[in-house]
Amino acid sequence: LAQETEELRSALISQFIMVGKYLRSYNNFHTLMAVVAGLNHYSVSQTRMPKSWNGVDNSLVESFHELEILMKPDSSFKSYR
């Protein structure tokens, strides 16, 4: 995220989560997996950029965690099959 301020990074993270929710509603799991993987990447993760993630609305963060659970690779992606 090449945005200069925490607020802009938070807005961009929020947009990606909303895109993920949209992809889920259209059962586009392949692209959803790419979005979830991108937001979980170390360079954007909640552990490396906590201030940016703190600016994201709590309901969106909860939605993201639900998407993470859905896309877990455990048991051959049993969660969404």
Side-chain angles (χ1 to χ4, degrees):
L1 298 171
Q3 304 301 321
E4 293 182 17
T5 65
E6 303 290 335
E7 293 81 21
L8 291 175
R9 284 192 288 271
S10 296
L12 192 55
I13 290 169
S14 297
Q15 275 188 307
F16 274 109
I17 295 170
M18 288 186 281
V19 167
K21 289 172 60 174
Y22 175 83
L23 293 168
R24 169 63 181 105
S25 70
Y26 281 94
N27 295 327
N28 187 339
F29 295 110
H30 186 76
T31 309
L32 174 59
M33 182 59 144
V35 170
V36 170
L39 289 173
N40 277 327
H41 191 272
Y42 175 73
S43 61
V44 183
S45 70
Q46 293 177 11
T47 55
R48 184 170 183 274
M49 298 178 65
K51 291 179 184 176
S52 296
W53 278 89
N54 286 340
V56 177
D57 185 53
N58 288 337
S59 65
L60 284 176
V61 173
E62 187 174 319
S63 293
F64 177 66
H65 289 305
E66 290 171 6
L67 294 174
E68 281 182 307
I69 291 168
L70 177 67
M71 299 311 296
K72 273 186 159 183
D74 299 349
S75 300
S76 298
F77 297 94
K78 183 180 178 181
S79 299
Y80 79 93
R81 282 193 292 132

